[in-house]
Amino acid sequence: MRYYSNMSSANIIATLAAKGLRQTKLRVLLLQALLNSAKPLSVKEILAIAAKNKIKANKTSVYRQLLTLKNERVVREVQLGENQKRYEIFPENHHHHIVCLDCGQIEDVETEGDLTGLEKKIAREKRFEVQNHSLEFFGI
């Protein structure tokens, strides 16, 4: 699997172009915004960044770009208890998030324990193939 979190937006665009996906102003901006953000971004935040950079975009076009990038496993979707989805570049190091319920700050956190063993146990005991998991921590 290819990880994009350590690549530049130009390198990601080149990789996508090799797959037949063209470079657009919105796609480049989206990748740059996600690469430069310390936290996963919401569509609302992405639209604000686009407006600040004088790039015309609407929710539909942003969601379409995110879906394409999600299907290519360049970005992943996370839900942090806000009734909205957030997006981040697919990380090389699997991590989770801590979310402050007071100020809304979001930070990455790596867990010390390996959840692979738990996933295997679930698969074995429940006859269930785990495709992905989400573990987020909420507090103050």
Side-chain angles (χ1 to χ4, degrees):
M1 173 185 290
R2 175 174 287 214
Y3 296 103
Y4 295 93
S5 57
N6 292 325
M7 294 175 72
S8 70
S9 60
N11 289 342
I12 296 171
I13 289 294
T15 301
L16 295 172
K19 294 180 175 186
L21 297 170
R22 63 188 180 90
Q23 175 179 329
T24 66
K25 287 181 184 179
L26 180 57
R27 187 172 290 158
V28 171
L29 173 95
L30 182 63
L31 290 168
Q32 289 172 341
L34 292 172
L35 284 166
N36 293 328
S37 180
K39 67 177 186 172
L41 297 175
S42 68
V43 169
K44 183 178 178 180
E45 291 167 328
I46 293 166
L47 287 167
I49 293 167
K52 184 178 176 182
N53 286 279
K54 298 179 177 31
I55 294 178
K56 283 190 166 191
N58 59 47
K59 274 201 265 190
T60 303
S61 59
V62 171
Y63 277 115
R64 191 177 304 120
Q65 290 292 332
L66 287 167
L67 179 61
T68 298
L69 294 172
K70 209 171 106 178
N71 289 341
E72 293 297 323
R73 296 187 57 86
V74 174
V75 301
R76 74 173 182 164
E77 183 180 284
V78 295
Q79 293 198 18
L80 302 176
E82 311 166 290
N83 291 328
Q84 69 177 337
K85 296 173 183 174
R86 290 183 171 270
Y87 301 87
E88 65 183 356
I89 297 293
F90 205 96
E92 183 173 356
N93 60 329
H94 184 75
H95 65 265
H96 303 280
H97 301 94
I98 56 172
V99 180
C100 179
L101 297 171
D102 190 32
C103 69
Q105 183 174 337
I106 301 166
E107 291 184 23
D108 294 348
V109 64
E110 291 186 40
T111 54
E112 288 184 26
D114 183 11
L115 295 177
T116 305
L118 179 58
E119 286 182 354
K120 287 178 182 177
K121 179 181 177 191
I122 290 169
R124 183 178 60 252
E125 291 179 2
K126 302 293 183 179
R127 295 189 329 211
F128 181 79
E129 182 182 339
V130 177
Q131 298 289 318
N132 197 0
H133 71 263
S134 176
L135 176 62
E136 315 309 336
F137 301 90
F138 301 87
I140 297 173

